[in-house]
Amino acid sequence: ARLGALARRLGRKVQEGPAGLKPSDVVIAGTPSRERFLAIQESVDADAVIGVHSSTPELLLPVDVGRVHYRNMRLVGSTDGRVSAAYGDNPREALKPGGKAWFVGGAGPMGTMHVVKAIMDDRGPATVLVTDLSDERLANLAHLVALLAKAGGRKVDLTVRNAKALTPSDLGAFGGFDDVVGLVPVPAIIADAARWLAPQGVYNIFAGVKVGTIADLPLELVVAGKVRLTGSSGSPLAAMRDTLALTESGRLATALSLAAVGDMASAGRGLQALIDNVYAGKVVVFPFAAGLGLRSIAEVAGDLPDLKALLLDGQYWTNEAEALFLKSRYFGGSV
């Protein structure tokens, strides 16, 4: 009855304001059709909130995950028509402390940074699942996490699994994830992972998916489960300052994701190497280096024998290794 009254008051047509002003808030009373919901998403402004208030949420909702990622579109809802209350549901913006987190495609360069941050965060998740298609990258990530734990870091129940071997029973054994971080820009994978979110879960659609990319997500997740879909593109200066502070304090080891270095003449090759997944981690270009080319950490250590002893476990970049590197012949030094 409440939803019916709401529908009569608000109507079902999205109206544009003066001079084609796009709405920043849309309240939908009842269950929208697929075509109607797609049209509503196309009509809203950046940072818009779309509320769906439906007592019969048993259907798939076509969500423009590109708008979630790039334009900060937010979905809220309810099964009882409480419009105002829905805006305050699940405001969490960080991984749930002591929770369960799944990093989909999490063994690549960006995924490694997410996992390392989660592992090093004192308020991070207690259980972590990382899936990827590369057994080599998964093994490398597991080894890195073990090193962090050995160095006195927080112990986490880590599971790494090749996505091709992952079964529904494997996922069901986790009992629902408080957080899913999507690092694969494939709508079917995004939609499938969403089904394993626990109530009050958060789905970080981190991989860049262009606006207009549609993933069919269960409406019930939003209106009954109060799941939050979020994403981000770029970082404000405040976030960069926070990251720098974490790095300087030793609470975030960004250097561990470095896999190769290059000079400006090799910047294009470095970018292509990332696209082609040549390296398991990131490539850093040093503008003032000369004659370096594009080299993996192992190759640099082969050229500079004293550097290997300064690497973590002989393979991961450290501040001490970089200090020696900057004194090498590639920068006009004598090392």
PDB file of all heavy atoms in Angstrom, residues 274-302:
ATOM      1  N   LEU A 274      52.550  -3.533 -19.948  1.00  0.00           N
ATOM      2  CA  LEU A 274      51.444  -3.627 -19.000  1.00  0.00           C
ATOM      3  C   LEU A 274      50.185  -4.137 -19.697  1.00  0.00           C
ATOM      4  O   LEU A 274      49.464  -4.987 -19.165  1.00  0.00           O
ATOM      5  CB  LEU A 274      51.169  -2.266 -18.363  1.00  0.00           C
ATOM      6  CG  LEU A 274      52.149  -1.795 -17.287  1.00  0.00           C
ATOM      7  CD1 LEU A 274      51.768  -0.400 -16.810  1.00  0.00           C
ATOM      8  CD2 LEU A 274      52.158  -2.760 -16.105  1.00  0.00           C
ATOM      9  N   ILE A 275      49.926  -3.616 -20.893  1.00  0.00           N
ATOM     10  CA  ILE A 275      48.746  -4.051 -21.652  1.00  0.00           C
ATOM     11  C   ILE A 275      48.835  -5.537 -21.971  1.00  0.00           C
ATOM     12  O   ILE A 275      47.833  -6.264 -21.907  1.00  0.00           O
ATOM     13  CB  ILE A 275      48.613  -3.222 -22.950  1.00  0.00           C
ATOM     14  CG1 ILE A 275      48.339  -1.754 -22.604  1.00  0.00           C
ATOM     15  CG2 ILE A 275      47.510  -3.782 -23.842  1.00  0.00           C
ATOM     16  CD1 ILE A 275      48.377  -0.822 -23.800  1.00  0.00           C
ATOM     17  N   ASP A 276      50.039  -5.991 -22.296  1.00  0.00           N
ATOM     18  CA  ASP A 276      50.234  -7.388 -22.692  1.00  0.00           C
ATOM     19  C   ASP A 276      50.495  -8.320 -21.511  1.00  0.00           C
ATOM     20  O   ASP A 276      50.776  -9.511 -21.711  1.00  0.00           O
ATOM     21  CB  ASP A 276      51.409  -7.485 -23.675  1.00  0.00           C
ATOM     22  CG  ASP A 276      51.135  -6.755 -24.987  1.00  0.00           C
ATOM     23  OD1 ASP A 276      49.955  -6.559 -25.309  1.00  0.00           O
ATOM     24  OD2 ASP A 276      52.113  -6.385 -25.678  1.00  0.00           O
ATOM     25  N   ASN A 277      50.434  -7.791 -20.297  1.00  0.00           N
ATOM     26  CA  ASN A 277      50.669  -8.601 -19.086  1.00  0.00           C
ATOM     27  C   ASN A 277      52.024  -9.295 -19.099  1.00  0.00           C
ATOM     28  O   ASN A 277      52.161 -10.467 -18.710  1.00  0.00           O
ATOM     29  CB  ASN A 277      49.557  -9.644 -18.920  1.00  0.00           C
ATOM     30  CG  ASN A 277      48.213  -9.023 -18.611  1.00  0.00           C
ATOM     31  OD1 ASN A 277      48.119  -8.069 -17.852  1.00  0.00           O
ATOM     32  ND2 ASN A 277      47.167  -9.557 -19.210  1.00  0.00           N
ATOM     33  N   VAL A 278      53.043  -8.575 -19.554  1.00  0.00           N
ATOM     34  CA  VAL A 278      54.385  -9.139 -19.608  1.00  0.00           C
ATOM     35  C   VAL A 278      54.938  -9.352 -18.197  1.00  0.00           C
ATOM     36  O   VAL A 278      55.606 -10.355 -17.924  1.00  0.00           O
ATOM     37  CB  VAL A 278      55.324  -8.229 -20.423  1.00  0.00           C
ATOM     38  CG1 VAL A 278      56.770  -8.716 -20.338  1.00  0.00           C
ATOM     39  CG2 VAL A 278      54.867  -8.168 -21.882  1.00  0.00           C
ATOM     40  N   TYR A 279      54.652  -8.412 -17.312  1.00  0.00           N
ATOM     41  CA  TYR A 279      55.183  -8.469 -15.953  1.00  0.00           C
ATOM     42  C   TYR A 279      54.056  -8.713 -14.950  1.00  0.00           C
ATOM     43  O   TYR A 279      52.901  -8.367 -15.193  1.00  0.00           O
ATOM     44  CB  TYR A 279      55.909  -7.172 -15.607  1.00  0.00           C
ATOM     45  CG  TYR A 279      57.044  -6.839 -16.549  1.00  0.00           C
ATOM     46  CD1 TYR A 279      56.935  -5.780 -17.450  1.00  0.00           C
ATOM     47  CD2 TYR A 279      58.214  -7.584 -16.539  1.00  0.00           C
ATOM     48  CE1 TYR A 279      57.975  -5.472 -18.317  1.00  0.00           C
ATOM     49  CE2 TYR A 279      59.253  -7.286 -17.402  1.00  0.00           C
ATOM     50  CZ  TYR A 279      59.134  -6.235 -18.293  1.00  0.00           C
ATOM     51  OH  TYR A 279      60.163  -5.951 -19.148  1.00  0.00           O
ATOM     52  N   ALA A 280      54.420  -9.284 -13.817  1.00  0.00           N
ATOM     53  CA  ALA A 280      53.432  -9.567 -12.778  1.00  0.00           C
ATOM     54  C   ALA A 280      53.069  -8.328 -11.973  1.00  0.00           C
ATOM     55  O   ALA A 280      52.107  -8.346 -11.205  1.00  0.00           O
ATOM     56  CB  ALA A 280      53.952 -10.650 -11.838  1.00  0.00           C
ATOM     57  N   GLY A 281      53.846  -7.251 -12.110  1.00  0.00           N
ATOM     58  CA  GLY A 281      53.595  -6.035 -11.347  1.00  0.00           C
ATOM     59  C   GLY A 281      53.667  -4.797 -12.222  1.00  0.00           C
ATOM     60  O   GLY A 281      53.566  -4.858 -13.455  1.00  0.00           O
ATOM     61  N   LYS A 282      53.884  -3.673 -11.579  1.00  0.00           N
ATOM     62  CA  LYS A 282      53.896  -2.385 -12.258  1.00  0.00           C
ATOM     63  C   LYS A 282      55.251  -2.081 -12.890  1.00  0.00           C
ATOM     64  O   LYS A 282      56.285  -2.623 -12.497  1.00  0.00           O
ATOM     65  CB  LYS A 282      53.557  -1.272 -11.251  1.00  0.00           C
ATOM     66  CG  LYS A 282      52.110  -1.273 -10.797  1.00  0.00           C
ATOM     67  CD  LYS A 282      51.185  -0.863 -11.927  1.00  0.00           C
ATOM     68  CE  LYS A 282      49.758  -0.649 -11.447  1.00  0.00           C
ATOM     69  NZ  LYS A 282      48.857  -0.230 -12.537  1.00  0.00           N
ATOM     70  N   VAL A 283      55.213  -1.185 -13.868  1.00  0.00           N
ATOM     71  CA  VAL A 283      56.425  -0.666 -14.505  1.00  0.00           C
ATOM     72  C   VAL A 283      56.577   0.796 -14.097  1.00  0.00           C
ATOM     73  O   VAL A 283      55.624   1.576 -14.205  1.00  0.00           O
ATOM     74  CB  VAL A 283      56.342  -0.764 -16.044  1.00  0.00           C
ATOM     75  CG1 VAL A 283      57.576  -0.130 -16.683  1.00  0.00           C
ATOM     76  CG2 VAL A 283      56.210  -2.218 -16.481  1.00  0.00           C
ATOM     77  N   VAL A 284      57.766   1.178 -13.615  1.00  0.00           N
ATOM     78  CA  VAL A 284      58.042   2.561 -13.238  1.00  0.00           C
ATOM     79  C   VAL A 284      59.091   3.130 -14.191  1.00  0.00           C
ATOM     80  O   VAL A 284      60.133   2.509 -14.428  1.00  0.00           O
ATOM     81  CB  VAL A 284      58.539   2.665 -11.783  1.00  0.00           C
ATOM     82  CG1 VAL A 284      59.041   4.078 -11.483  1.00  0.00           C
ATOM     83  CG2 VAL A 284      57.421   2.302 -10.820  1.00  0.00           C
ATOM     84  N   VAL A 285      58.781   4.305 -14.742  1.00  0.00           N
ATOM     85  CA  VAL A 285      59.708   4.995 -15.643  1.00  0.00           C
ATOM     86  C   VAL A 285      60.469   6.056 -14.853  1.00  0.00           C
ATOM     87  O   VAL A 285      59.863   6.872 -14.154  1.00  0.00           O
ATOM     88  CB  VAL A 285      58.948   5.642 -16.819  1.00  0.00           C
ATOM     89  CG1 VAL A 285      59.879   6.536 -17.632  1.00  0.00           C
ATOM     90  CG2 VAL A 285      58.340   4.562 -17.710  1.00  0.00           C
ATOM     91  N   PHE A 286      61.803   6.017 -14.956  1.00  0.00           N
ATOM     92  CA  PHE A 286      62.657   7.011 -14.308  1.00  0.00           C
ATOM     93  C   PHE A 286      63.108   8.007 -15.370  1.00  0.00           C
ATOM     94  O   PHE A 286      63.942   7.684 -16.226  1.00  0.00           O
ATOM     95  CB  PHE A 286      63.866   6.322 -13.659  1.00  0.00           C
ATOM     96  CG  PHE A 286      63.522   5.510 -12.446  1.00  0.00           C
ATOM     97  CD1 PHE A 286      63.042   4.208 -12.565  1.00  0.00           C
ATOM     98  CD2 PHE A 286      63.654   6.044 -11.169  1.00  0.00           C
ATOM     99  CE1 PHE A 286      62.723   3.458 -11.447  1.00  0.00           C
ATOM    100  CE2 PHE A 286      63.333   5.301 -10.043  1.00  0.00           C
ATOM    101  CZ  PHE A 286      62.860   4.001 -10.177  1.00  0.00           C
ATOM    102  N   PRO A 287      62.582   9.235 -15.348  1.00  0.00           N
ATOM    103  CA  PRO A 287      62.849  10.197 -16.423  1.00  0.00           C
ATOM    104  C   PRO A 287      64.322  10.531 -16.620  1.00  0.00           C
ATOM    105  O   PRO A 287      64.730  10.851 -17.747  1.00  0.00           O
ATOM    106  CB  PRO A 287      62.051  11.440 -15.989  1.00  0.00           C
ATOM    107  CG  PRO A 287      61.011  10.919 -15.060  1.00  0.00           C
ATOM    108  CD  PRO A 287      61.642   9.770 -14.350  1.00  0.00           C
ATOM    109  N   PHE A 288      65.132  10.490 -15.565  1.00  0.00           N
ATOM    110  CA  PHE A 288      66.524  10.923 -15.678  1.00  0.00           C
ATOM    111  C   PHE A 288      67.491   9.761 -15.903  1.00  0.00           C
ATOM    112  O   PHE A 288      68.704   9.966 -15.925  1.00  0.00           O
ATOM    113  CB  PHE A 288      66.931  11.713 -14.431  1.00  0.00           C
ATOM    114  CG  PHE A 288      66.082  12.939 -14.230  1.00  0.00           C
ATOM    115  CD1 PHE A 288      65.146  13.002 -13.202  1.00  0.00           C
ATOM    116  CD2 PHE A 288      66.187  14.025 -15.090  1.00  0.00           C
ATOM    117  CE1 PHE A 288      64.350  14.120 -13.030  1.00  0.00           C
ATOM    118  CE2 PHE A 288      65.392  15.152 -14.925  1.00  0.00           C
ATOM    119  CZ  PHE A 288      64.469  15.201 -13.892  1.00  0.00           C
ATOM    120  N   ALA A 289      66.946   8.583 -16.103  1.00  0.00           N
ATOM    121  CA  ALA A 289      67.816   7.439 -16.398  1.00  0.00           C
ATOM    122  C   ALA A 289      68.237   7.488 -17.864  1.00  0.00           C
ATOM    123  O   ALA A 289      67.522   8.013 -18.726  1.00  0.00           O
ATOM    124  CB  ALA A 289      67.087   6.131 -16.116  1.00  0.00           C
ATOM    125  N   ALA A 290      69.408   6.942 -18.149  1.00  0.00           N
ATOM    126  CA  ALA A 290      69.924   6.906 -19.526  1.00  0.00           C
ATOM    127  C   ALA A 290      70.516   5.527 -19.801  1.00  0.00           C
ATOM    128  O   ALA A 290      71.267   4.986 -18.986  1.00  0.00           O
ATOM    129  CB  ALA A 290      70.981   7.979 -19.727  1.00  0.00           C
ATOM    130  N   GLY A 291      70.145   4.965 -20.960  1.00  0.00           N
ATOM    131  CA  GLY A 291      70.679   3.672 -21.346  1.00  0.00           C
ATOM    132  C   GLY A 291      70.120   2.500 -20.583  1.00  0.00           C
ATOM    133  O   GLY A 291      70.656   1.385 -20.646  1.00  0.00           O
ATOM    134  N   LEU A 292      69.047   2.712 -19.866  1.00  0.00           N
ATOM    135  CA  LEU A 292      68.461   1.653 -19.048  1.00  0.00           C
ATOM    136  C   LEU A 292      67.603   0.722 -19.893  1.00  0.00           C
ATOM    137  O   LEU A 292      67.617  -0.495 -19.702  1.00  0.00           O
ATOM    138  CB  LEU A 292      67.632   2.270 -17.913  1.00  0.00           C
ATOM    139  CG  LEU A 292      66.834   1.313 -17.027  1.00  0.00           C
ATOM    140  CD1 LEU A 292      67.774   0.353 -16.306  1.00  0.00           C
ATOM    141  CD2 LEU A 292      65.988   2.094 -16.014  1.00  0.00           C
ATOM    142  N   GLY A 293      66.859   1.295 -20.838  1.00  0.00           N
ATOM    143  CA  GLY A 293      65.907   0.499 -21.583  1.00  0.00           C
ATOM    144  C   GLY A 293      64.746   0.098 -20.699  1.00  0.00           C
ATOM    145  O   GLY A 293      64.387   0.815 -19.758  1.00  0.00           O
ATOM    146  N   LEU A 294      64.164  -1.051 -20.950  1.00  0.00           N
ATOM    147  CA  LEU A 294      63.086  -1.599 -20.125  1.00  0.00           C
ATOM    148  C   LEU A 294      63.578  -2.920 -19.553  1.00  0.00           C
ATOM    149  O   LEU A 294      63.894  -3.855 -20.296  1.00  0.00           O
ATOM    150  CB  LEU A 294      61.823  -1.817 -20.956  1.00  0.00           C
ATOM    151  CG  LEU A 294      60.617  -2.412 -20.225  1.00  0.00           C
ATOM    152  CD1 LEU A 294      60.118  -1.455 -19.145  1.00  0.00           C
ATOM    153  CD2 LEU A 294      59.501  -2.748 -21.200  1.00  0.00           C
ATOM    154  N   ARG A 295      63.669  -3.001 -18.234  1.00  0.00           N
ATOM    155  CA  ARG A 295      64.247  -4.185 -17.599  1.00  0.00           C
ATOM    156  C   ARG A 295      63.415  -4.628 -16.405  1.00  0.00           C
ATOM    157  O   ARG A 295      62.915  -3.794 -15.636  1.00  0.00           O
ATOM    158  CB  ARG A 295      65.675  -3.893 -17.118  1.00  0.00           C
ATOM    159  CG  ARG A 295      66.661  -3.540 -18.236  1.00  0.00           C
ATOM    160  CD  ARG A 295      67.975  -3.040 -17.648  1.00  0.00           C
ATOM    161  NE  ARG A 295      68.889  -2.615 -18.691  1.00  0.00           N
ATOM    162  CZ  ARG A 295      69.854  -3.372 -19.207  1.00  0.00           C
ATOM    163  NH1 ARG A 295      70.020  -4.603 -18.747  1.00  0.00           N
ATOM    164  NH2 ARG A 295      70.633  -2.914 -20.146  1.00  0.00           N
ATOM    165  N   SER A 296      63.324  -5.932 -16.251  1.00  0.00           N
ATOM    166  CA  SER A 296      62.690  -6.476 -15.049  1.00  0.00           C
ATOM    167  C   SER A 296      63.626  -6.270 -13.868  1.00  0.00           C
ATOM    168  O   SER A 296      64.815  -5.985 -14.036  1.00  0.00           O
ATOM    169  CB  SER A 296      62.398  -7.963 -15.233  1.00  0.00           C
ATOM    170  OG  SER A 296      63.612  -8.691 -15.281  1.00  0.00           O
ATOM    171  N   ILE A 297      63.081  -6.419 -12.664  1.00  0.00           N
ATOM    172  CA  ILE A 297      63.921  -6.298 -11.473  1.00  0.00           C
ATOM    173  C   ILE A 297      65.051  -7.325 -11.513  1.00  0.00           C
ATOM    174  O   ILE A 297      66.195  -7.019 -11.148  1.00  0.00           O
ATOM    175  CB  ILE A 297      63.067  -6.479 -10.199  1.00  0.00           C
ATOM    176  CG1 ILE A 297      62.108  -5.292 -10.036  1.00  0.00           C
ATOM    177  CG2 ILE A 297      63.947  -6.600  -8.967  1.00  0.00           C
ATOM    178  CD1 ILE A 297      61.192  -5.405  -8.842  1.00  0.00           C
ATOM    179  N   ALA A 298      64.751  -8.531 -11.961  1.00  0.00           N
ATOM    180  CA  ALA A 298      65.782  -9.570 -12.035  1.00  0.00           C
ATOM    181  C   ALA A 298      66.899  -9.165 -12.992  1.00  0.00           C
ATOM    182  O   ALA A 298      68.088  -9.402 -12.725  1.00  0.00           O
ATOM    183  CB  ALA A 298      65.162 -10.893 -12.478  1.00  0.00           C
ATOM    184  N   GLU A 299      66.546  -8.532 -14.097  1.00  0.00           N
ATOM    185  CA  GLU A 299      67.557  -8.092 -15.061  1.00  0.00           C
ATOM    186  C   GLU A 299      68.410  -6.967 -14.489  1.00  0.00           C
ATOM    187  O   GLU A 299      69.625  -6.922 -14.702  1.00  0.00           O
ATOM    188  CB  GLU A 299      66.877  -7.654 -16.354  1.00  0.00           C
ATOM    189  CG  GLU A 299      66.279  -8.810 -17.146  1.00  0.00           C
ATOM    190  CD  GLU A 299      65.428  -8.349 -18.309  1.00  0.00           C
ATOM    191  OE1 GLU A 299      64.807  -7.259 -18.216  1.00  0.00           O
ATOM    192  OE2 GLU A 299      65.368  -9.077 -19.309  1.00  0.00           O
ATOM    193  N   VAL A 300      67.795  -6.056 -13.765  1.00  0.00           N
ATOM    194  CA  VAL A 300      68.543  -4.972 -13.135  1.00  0.00           C
ATOM    195  C   VAL A 300      69.498  -5.541 -12.091  1.00  0.00           C
ATOM    196  O   VAL A 300      70.659  -5.128 -11.982  1.00  0.00           O
ATOM    197  CB  VAL A 300      67.592  -3.942 -12.492  1.00  0.00           C
ATOM    198  CG1 VAL A 300      68.378  -2.898 -11.707  1.00  0.00           C
ATOM    199  CG2 VAL A 300      66.757  -3.248 -13.562  1.00  0.00           C
ATOM    200  N   ALA A 301      69.013  -6.506 -11.315  1.00  0.00           N
ATOM    201  CA  ALA A 301      69.867  -7.131 -10.300  1.00  0.00           C
ATOM    202  C   ALA A 301      71.035  -7.865 -10.946  1.00  0.00           C
ATOM    203  O   ALA A 301      72.128  -7.947 -10.363  1.00  0.00           O
ATOM    204  CB  ALA A 301      69.043  -8.090  -9.453  1.00  0.00           C
ATOM    205  N   GLY A 302      70.836  -8.388 -12.158  1.00  0.00           N
ATOM    206  CA  GLY A 302      71.930  -9.038 -12.867  1.00  0.00           C
ATOM    207  C   GLY A 302      72.979  -8.047 -13.319  1.00  0.00           C
ATOM    208  O   GLY A 302      74.186  -8.359 -13.338  1.00  0.00           O
TER     209      GLY A 302
END
